[in-house]
Amino acid sequence: MAKKLVIKVTAGADAPERCSQAFTVAAVAAASGVEVSLWLTGESAWFALPGRAAEFELPHAAPLPDLLDSVLAAGQVTLCTQCAARRDITEKDVVEGVRIAGAQVFVQEAVADGAQALVY
């Protein structure tokens, strides 16, 4: 098993099943003791804002706020720098515990020894 799982979610409400899958895998991995880094990019960037995950609905899926809280409690959540800038999101706007970082940090995490990267 990978020592670290780096998950990039590119979908939000525009592709709810893909979005939910990414958050679910991240939360399950974190609960299983795997080091998790969840990257919010594209339309998932909105979930870095307080209350936005609660607006997401998908039948028969775990509530997105619960999944996000699980990852924040046991792993790292990162909002893409460019995605944040395109949406006028700043560090003062995001949920506590979410950092903003760019491609260089993503690449460092994804190619680190023992890391496995998944993109949804």
Side-chain angles (χ1 to χ4, degrees):
M1 182 183 291
K3 293 179 187 170
K4 183 171 188 175
L5 189 57
V6 182
I7 300 172
K8 180 184 273 194
V9 55
T10 62
D14 59 325
E17 288 185 299
R18 189 164 27 115
C19 176
S20 180
Q21 289 169 1
F23 277 85
T24 299
V25 168
V28 168
S32 299
V34 176
E35 183 181 354
V36 174
S37 177
L38 178 65
W39 283 74
L40 306 177
T41 68
E43 286 302 298
S44 72
W46 295 114
F47 300 129
L49 297 175
R52 293 300 283 267
E55 297 172 7
F56 180 87
E57 291 184 16
L58 181 63
H60 310 291
L64 204 64
D66 295 348
L67 298 173
L68 179 58
D69 288 347
S70 294
V71 178
L72 282 167
Q76 176 70 58
V77 178
T78 305
L79 172 59
C80 162
T81 301
Q82 290 180 12
C83 301
R86 281 190 282 274
R87 291 161 178 81
D88 294 321
I89 299 171
T90 67
E91 288 184 358
K92 69 179 185 345
D93 300 318
V94 300
V95 170
E96 185 176 342
V98 173
R99 68 176 176 170
I100 297 177
Q104 178 185 2
V105 176
F106 176 79
V107 170
Q108 284 177 327
E109 289 184 7
V111 301
D113 287 341
Q116 172 69 49
L118 301 174
V119 179
Y120 288 87

